[in-house]
Amino acid sequence: MKQLILKPGREKSLLRRHPWVFSGAVARVQGNPDTGDTVSVRAADGEFLAWAACSPVSQIRARVWSWDEQETIDAGFLRGRLRRALDARARLIPAGTGDGMRLVHGESDGLPGVIADRYGEVVVLQLLSAGAERWRAEIAAGVRELTGCACVYERSDADVRELEGLPAKSGVLHGALPSSGVEIREHGLAYGVDVAAGHKTGFYLDQRDNRRRIGELARDREVLNCFCYSGGFTLNALAGGAQSVLSVDSSAGALAQAKDNLARNGLDAARAEWQEADVFRYLRTLRDQGRSFDLIVLDPPKFAPTAAFAEKAARGYKDINLLALKLLRSGGLLASFSCSGGISADLFQKILAGAALDAGVDATILGRFAAAADHPVLLSFPEGDYLKGLLVRRG
Ligand code: SAH
């Protein structure tokens, strides 16, 4: 019998249904489990706690599949979890929102390490944990059959795979990518999605509703969109009647995709300006040029993957937010995001307060942003609540 026996007292987080077992909590490993094998996790007194996938080299030694001792972890179990995730979305996301959607969001859908994003007829799968990797064939088959999609493409090339001792993998698992490329619609706008080489699985679906909100706020404003990637906020701002949008990203490929997306939607290219630059430096250039804006979006990449990076990340967030607040006209709006799991919403608000203080401006919170509903957060897994944002008005 393959099992992990915990140290006395270390069963507490599992009893609260947190789905991770850290290596430091494990007293003994029995049955010599291989990477991804299912183990029973037991308290020091032998009490059954959970079925979990074992990851011998990771700090997260096991991730829970099920709290039910009667359950068998097999293809049928995974199929049931996938079906539950898909059903939940069918009820949650209003028809007409678009055809890009996160179908499976890892731990919060009871499938640790499994991400599945749907872009029209293509599903992009990310298997990020040893357990997900162990069941890759079953998960891929389940996704294909339950969605009926023509193509399943794997993008298991995120850095976190290394922590699990897994090599990067990407490529077609089923069918073929459409020769004309992948296109989705989202809140009435069309986007080309580079599923083979784009960031994450190709698109930042989590910002869907926040992009629309920015569109609603952009009328007649001069907008600065920092970290624009494929132009999501830019397109919404232009469609919403922005006077102009200056979009900045350090990736030439992202800017090319963004320009292509602008053209796809027949939006006015004369109102769009593009800048390939490092935002940290470029905000200083804009300051030195005496530029100012009515609406600024800051949507940087993850500065703090875990709490251990929080302090360094906090300095980065403060820097760009301080500069952005200075570039805003009085009454202007800042939409500022953090997708760092290691930065809580509370800490993020404190960082913005510090930035406003040092910028010498008054700022008021008008709203809060989170990830869209297809990125649910399991209450017992606060790590799932990674995307937070504030809408702030400069006084
Ligand atoms: N807002 C986008 C997603 C942003 S992702 C959307 O709605 O889709 C973060 C982006 O920041 C990526 O495109 C990445 O290329 C870019 N980036 C990362 N570091 C940067 C830096 N220092 N300066 C400018 N862009 C950067």
Side-chain angles (χ1 to χ4, degrees):
M1 184 107 127
K2 299 179 182 189
Q3 45 189 23
L4 302 186
I5 319 288
L6 302 188
K7 293 175 183 165
R10 298 304 292 269
E11 70 283 2
K12 287 202 186 94
S13 74
L14 280 112
L15 292 174
R16 286 198 300 268
R17 298 214 161 193
H18 189 279
W20 290 351
V21 179
F22 287 96
S23 57
V26 178
R28 289 194 317 282
V29 182
Q30 292 178 345
N32 200 18
D34 216 341
T35 291
D37 277 356
T38 301
V39 292
S40 65
V41 183
R42 294 183 181 273
D45 64 4
E47 182 197 357
F48 173 87
L49 297 168
W51 294 112
C54 187
S55 183
V57 302
S58 174
Q59 291 285 353
I60 305 172
R61 189 55 44 91
R63 297 179 196 235
V64 172
W65 288 123
S66 170
W67 308 101
D68 179 358
E69 193 167 5
Q70 307 311 316
E71 197 97 69
T72 305
I73 309 307
D74 57 11
F77 166 82
L78 294 163
R79 182 71 58 108
R81 285 283 163 95
L82 289 169
R83 190 176 293 118
R84 193 176 77 180
L86 264 63
D87 286 352
R89 275 135 185 100
R91 294 203 194 92
L92 259 177
I93 315 289
T97 304
D99 54 5
M101 191 185 294
R102 175 150 297 190
L103 301 177
V104 181
H105 189 48
E107 275 76 351
S108 294
D109 279 307
L111 289 164
V114 181
I115 301 291
D117 287 341
R118 180 173 188 159
Y119 301 115
E121 283 306 300
V122 177
V123 177
V124 183
L125 201 56
Q126 271 191 326
L127 305 173
L128 302 175
S129 64
E133 176 73 17
R134 160 69 182 76
W135 296 100
R136 68 203 312 274
E138 291 79 0
I139 293 168
V143 162
R144 174 165 51 81
E145 286 162 31
L146 291 170
T147 62
C149 278
C151 176
V152 179
Y153 194 90
E154 180 173 22
R155 281 295 304 276
S156 301
D157 54 3
D159 296 345
V160 290
R161 291 250 314 179
E162 258 176 65
L163 303 177
E164 297 275 311
L166 303 169
K169 279 186 191 163
S170 57
V172 169
L173 293 178
H174 171 78
L177 286 174
S179 53
S180 54
V182 177
E183 184 181 272
I184 59 162
R185 295 194 74 80
E186 177 190 278
H187 291 314
L189 291 164
Y191 298 88
V193 178
D194 185 353
V195 302
H199 294 178
K200 302 215 285 186
T201 64
F203 197 66
Y204 290 85
L205 291 165
D206 50 359
Q207 289 283 25
R208 179 189 310 116
D209 299 336
N210 305 331
R211 286 192 277 260
R212 182 173 60 170
R213 181 87 184 101
I214 292 303
E216 292 164 358
L217 294 167
R219 180 159 299 282
D220 297 329
R221 293 186 191 260
E222 281 183 62
V223 180
L224 170 64
N225 179 18
C226 295
F227 311 97
C228 69
Y229 189 51
S230 59
F233 285 104
T234 304
L235 266 55
N236 278 273
L238 288 169
Q243 204 181 96
S244 63
V245 184
L246 168 55
S247 307
V248 190
D249 203 282
S250 57
S251 156
L255 287 166
Q257 179 78 67
K259 287 179 202 173
D260 177 76
N261 285 339
L262 180 117
R264 267 171 214 261
N265 291 281
L267 291 163
D268 180 6
R271 288 188 285 139
E273 194 187 333
W274 307 95
Q275 183 69 43
E276 183 184 333
D278 170 36
V279 165
F280 288 84
R281 285 203 211 114
Y282 190 62
L283 287 173
R284 290 175 164 83
T285 306
L286 291 170
R287 176 195 63 193
D288 296 344
Q289 291 172 347
R291 297 278 300 265
S292 55
F293 300 88
D294 307 302
L295 171 59
I296 299 179
V297 178
L298 293 178
D299 184 25
K302 207 186 317 181
F303 292 160
T306 65
F309 297 84
E311 210 178 296
K312 182 161 178 279
R315 282 198 293 278
Y317 287 119
K318 184 169 174 189
D319 186 47
I320 54 175
N321 281 283
L322 193 160
L323 289 160
L325 284 166
K326 284 195 167 177
L327 290 175
L328 274 181
R329 299 190 176 111
S330 176
L333 300 178
L334 170 64
S336 183
F337 296 93
S338 162
C339 60
S340 294
I343 301 277
S344 67
D346 190 43
L347 175 58
F348 189 57
Q349 183 170 327
K350 288 195 175 102
I351 294 168
L352 256 72
L357 193 68
D358 287 7
V361 303
D362 282 327
T364 316
I365 296 174
L366 301 183
R368 294 169 198 279
F369 300 107
D374 48 346
H375 297 59
V377 182
L378 192 66
L379 271 172
S380 58
F381 183 64
E383 290 86 345
D385 198 11
Y386 64 100
L387 181 67
K388 68 274 318 172
L390 290 172
L391 178 65
V392 160
R393 186 182 55 220
R394 180 182 160 158

